Amino acid sequence: MAIGAFSAQTVEDVAAGAGAQASQLRRRLGKADLRAVPEVRRALRELLRQWGRPGRSEIAELLTSELVTNALIHTDHDAVVTATVGPGGLRVEVRDFVARRPRLRVPNADDGTHGRGLVLVQSLADAWGVRAHGVGKAVWFELDAGTA
């Protein structure tokens, strides 16, 4: 898989059993490659369009941008973004290769544009969290089918 190549893939949702389909976007992003952020947003928008939720992608794109940007800026490593849509909604996970957990902090009004990413995720996602993943962590959020 080439870094920076984006396309949505359809995969069988084996865990769901009953033949349900899930659509998935999975891409590896190069270290500090902030040009990948708008590319990921476009690919996510297309995935949601294929899923039949084209007008509901604004929050998903915003939160995905925040997580991808945080991973690329604050870890100085590659990142892997996975977005999966199914009957229950959307789940986006951004995996990086640094075990240090992100800090949720309420930004000071004088902080300019920094420090608001996780506050946005906490405020707008139906669920979110951080989990250890091999040599790093995965920060994820979910939007239910009515929101995604």
Side-chain angles (χ1 to χ4, degrees), residues 3 28-34 36 67-81 94-100 135-137:
I3 293 175
R28 185 176 188 111
L29 310 174
K31 172 179 144 179
D33 183 10
L34 294 178
L67 295 186
V68 168
T69 301
N70 283 352
L72 295 177
I73 288 177
H74 297 296
T75 66
D76 198 34
H77 287 274
D78 291 0
V80 177
V81 61
V94 179
R95 178 180 173 214
D96 63 46
F97 301 93
V98 174
R100 183 181 67 248
V135 297
K137 66 185 169 299

Side-chain angles (χ1 to χ4, degrees), residues 6-9 23-26 36-65 81 83-85 90 92 141 143 148:
F6 295 89
S7 67
Q9 306 169 23
S23 295
Q24 185 176 74
L25 167 74
R26 181 176 172 89
V37 177
E39 293 174 11
V40 168
R41 280 196 313 262
R42 279 191 293 277
L44 181 62
R45 187 178 315 123
E46 177 61 19
L47 180 70
L48 290 170
R49 186 193 64 74
Q50 290 176 5
W51 186 49
R53 301 275 194 229
R56 311 290 275 172
S57 68
E58 295 86 8
I59 292 172
E61 290 179 53
L62 171 66
L63 300 183
T64 301
S65 294
V81 61
T84 306
V85 291
L90 170 71
V92 174
F141 73 86
L143 296 174

